[in-house]
Amino acid sequence: MMITAEQAKVLPRRGLRKPLTRLPAGRRADEGRSGAYRAALTMLHTGQGTPMVTIDKALRADPGFVSGHCLRAALLVMTCRDDARLELGRTLDAAQVFIHRADERESRHLEAASAWLENDLRRALQLYGEIAVDHPHDTLALRVAHFGDLQWSRTERLRDRVAAVLPHWHEGMEGYTHVLGMYAFGLAEAGDYDLSERAGRRAIALDRGNAGAIHAVAHVLEMQGRVEEGIAWLLATAPNWTRSAGYAPHLWWHLALFHLDLSDTNAALRIHDRHLLVGAGPATSTLVDASALLWRLQLRGVDVASRWRPVADGWAQRQVDGLRPFNDTHAMLAFVAAERRSSAEGLIDALRTSAARTPDLHEIIHGAALPVCTALKAFGEGDYEAATATLHDLRHLAKRCGGSQAQCDLLHLTLLESALRSGYTPMARSLVAERIESRPRSVFNRHLMARVGGAPTFFVGDQMYWAQDRMDFVREALLASP
């Protein structure tokens, strides 16, 4: 689906006022249930509070609250954890008792969650997406589908799915900024950086506490190599996003990446020590961020051995089940770096088991997760030639790895370092040239070019030129400059 010119304007739209938190049930719920649903849904969108606790309280007061069961099921689906299946089964059983009360939309929510429970992951995503199409104000379905699009690396769908519902929204509607924040993130992942920044900043102008929109703008600044702006952006908005337990660790991670681009490894380490893995039982997403940050630091030659131990412990305490291979590959980073060979082997076995049990994951696991994990093991064991060969065959995953492009970039960095350590200098130069072409403003990329002994680079304003064969273009740019 193409974005229309009207949608691309990201301007307020006028129409019938309908609340974001309209219940999946088409009828009006009583004020207490509606309030609980609205509160839990807002918590899901903002990353603040405890949506599961909130909806559980409502369900204890009214076990027949089918919309509450729909929301609870969706929260469990989004955990992408095999150990959530038992609880999801109980939730669906509880809802089934009152299925005679369910309307068409509620029934479809329960059908989508049931598909996930039955390991039919693609169908679950399809069903949630279809609900969002038919009911564009159902942001629970939209949020689950948006999450699934990222997991399945459906980059264009991250943008287009939200673009399809935008004509039904305007800024006078409650929750419009959350939809706009999702749209901004989808645009950033699709490479529509200018429009993404406009959408994200518009959402924040309407709601300063919109951590999702702050996150989307941070992605734009990261992908364009606007490092100083990125640091300033996250520091200026910190009073708002640090209140979001769901977004704060990840945005600290983004801030650390900006500092790393400036080769300020001390600042990155301080962020890790103060804001990642703080307290007992860090969330899986925080373990992902900690693993990704420490691996980047290790690639730079920074000694982070002591910091790997608690990260590897955190992963070891979790059931690694292969339902989200993106997470599992980050666990492999920790196991390799901490020299937990048995844990690494156990992870590979778990991925194979998951692929056999869940056909929808077979291609992702065997075509991506397993070879990546094997390459990471080879890298950790010093077999850089093997790591280079495997990662080079998987270069496409640097943009489609089941996470954001900023996260997937770790594969490109690891391939580059493997090539350098293997003595494949021409390949390393080619990889650095790719990085500079995509992020010409990145200070770190310029340092990489010097490291590989690449061709000299020239900047005229923000435009980069390199090598002797581009000197004519440099002269033209200089003559055109005021």
Side-chain angles (χ1 to χ4, degrees):
M1 172 188 148
M2 298 297 294
I3 299 177
T4 67
E6 282 299 309
Q7 292 166 355
K9 292 178 182 177
V10 194
L11 295 174
R13 303 184 64 87
R14 298 298 168 192
L16 294 176
R17 181 181 177 86
K18 295 181 181 179
L20 164 75
T21 48
R22 178 181 176 187
L23 298 178
R27 59 191 177 275
R28 181 174 300 177
D30 66 58
E31 186 174 341
R33 296 187 309 172
S34 176
Y37 186 95
R38 291 159 63 103
L41 185 57
T42 298
M43 290 173 187
L44 171 62
H45 289 315
T46 62
Q48 299 183 35
T50 52
M52 186 67 81
V53 171
T54 301
I55 205 63
D56 278 351
K57 182 178 179 180
L59 287 169
R60 284 195 297 272
D62 182 1
F65 182 25
V66 180
S67 294
H69 291 296
C70 293
L71 196 155
R72 193 176 199 277
L75 292 173
L76 291 167
V77 166
M78 291 181 69
T79 65
C80 276
R81 290 170 52 181
D82 197 58
D83 57 5
R85 291 182 183 279
L86 180 61
E87 193 61 30
L88 178 58
R90 290 171 178 164
T91 300
L92 294 174
D93 287 344
Q96 189 64 33
V97 174
F98 302 96
I99 196 65
H100 60 282
R101 298 186 184 180
D103 68 3
E104 172 263 350
R105 184 159 38 172
E106 288 172 330
S107 296
R108 291 170 68 180
H109 266 270
L110 297 175
E111 182 184 4
S114 295
W116 190 90
L117 182 63
E118 295 165 1
N119 287 321
D120 198 345
L121 309 186
R122 291 183 186 274
R123 183 166 177 267
L125 173 59
Q126 177 185 344
L127 292 173
Y128 276 117
E130 289 174 354
I131 296 171
V133 169
D134 294 338
H135 303 276
H137 297 113
D138 187 341
T139 57
L140 176 60
L142 182 64
R143 176 65 70 177
V144 180
H146 191 66
F147 171 81
D149 288 333
L150 180 63
Q151 178 182 358
W152 291 95
S153 298
R154 296 179 176 179
T155 305
E156 293 77 16
R157 294 298 293 159
L158 277 170
R159 174 195 63 194
D160 296 344
R161 193 185 300 281
V162 188
V165 306
L166 268 180
H168 302 273
W169 288 86
H170 62 73
E171 69 177 37
M173 299 170 69
E174 178 186 355
Y176 168 74
T177 60
H178 298 309
V179 177
L180 198 55
M182 282 189 271
Y183 184 45
F185 180 73
L187 287 165
E189 287 302 293
D192 296 336
Y193 298 126
D194 291 343
L195 185 53
S196 172
E197 187 169 358
R198 286 175 53 200
R201 290 184 183 274
R202 180 59 181 163
I204 295 158
L206 296 170
D207 175 12
R208 289 182 299 174
N210 190 325
I214 293 171
H215 174 235
V217 174
H219 268 271
V220 171
L221 301 176
E222 160 71 17
M223 298 311 296
Q224 292 187 325
R226 295 157 60 186
V227 179
E228 291 85 356
E229 288 182 70
I231 292 173
W233 170 252
L234 288 178
L235 291 179
T237 56
N240 297 314
W241 58 259
T242 51
R243 293 182 295 176
S244 172
Y247 279 99
H250 188 60
L251 285 169
W252 281 119
W253 176 81
H254 274 283
L255 184 58
L257 291 197
F258 287 129
H259 284 295
L260 269 183
D261 197 275
L262 296 176
S263 295
D264 189 350
T265 57
N266 288 330
L269 285 170
R270 284 195 298 271
I271 288 173
H272 173 273
D273 295 345
R274 296 176 183 177
H275 302 292
L276 300 179
L277 301 185
V278 175
T284 299
S285 58
T286 303
L287 285 172
V288 167
D289 290 333
S291 301
L293 178 57
L294 290 179
W295 189 265
R296 283 173 168 83
L297 285 161
Q298 187 162 294
L299 291 179
R300 301 282 192 98
V302 180
D303 182 5
V304 291
S306 63
R307 292 176 171 88
W308 275 118
R309 285 192 289 273
V311 179
D313 289 343
W315 283 116
Q317 292 166 8
R318 278 164 171 70
Q319 178 183 1
V320 181
D321 46 42
L323 280 178
R324 195 171 183 205
F326 172 79
N327 291 347
D328 300 333
T329 54
H330 282 78
M332 181 60 77
L333 293 175
F335 294 152
V336 167
E339 299 182 355
R340 306 280 182 88
R341 294 187 179 182
S342 61
S343 296
E345 292 295 339
L347 172 55
I348 288 176
D349 290 341
L351 283 168
R352 290 183 177 131
T353 300
S354 180
R357 183 181 64 237
T358 309
D360 283 348
L361 291 175
H362 188 276
E363 180 180 353
I364 292 176
I365 290 176
H366 283 281
L370 278 174
V372 166
C373 287
T374 300
L376 294 175
K377 277 189 63 185
F379 186 95
E381 294 166 358
D383 190 352
Y384 302 120
E385 290 190 8
T388 301
T390 302
L391 290 175
H392 190 266
D393 290 341
L394 299 171
R395 291 173 63 204
H396 63 284
L397 295 178
K399 292 186 179 296
R400 295 176 179 271
C401 73
S404 70
Q405 290 194 43
Q407 292 171 313
C408 298
D409 188 49
L410 187 64
L411 294 176
H412 197 276
L413 288 169
T414 305
L415 170 58
L416 172 58
E417 188 63 30
S418 295
L420 283 168
R421 297 186 187 187
S422 301
Y424 296 152
T425 305
M427 180 190 293
R429 287 175 180 163
S430 176
L431 293 169
V432 172
E434 290 177 7
R435 300 185 65 81
I436 290 180
E437 185 69 30
S438 63
R439 303 186 201 181
R441 301 186 193 182
S442 167
V443 177
F444 177 57
N445 285 346
R446 299 182 207 176
H447 290 167
L448 285 174
M449 181 59 80
R451 182 182 173 195
V452 299
T457 56
F458 306 88
F459 282 84
V460 179
D462 290 332
Q463 183 62 47
M464 184 203 71
Y465 307 90
W466 72 85
Q468 184 67 29
D469 61 350
R470 290 208 171 187
M471 286 305 296
D472 290 339
F473 297 114
V474 175
R475 293 189 191 98
E476 291 177 10
L478 288 171
L479 290 174
S481 300

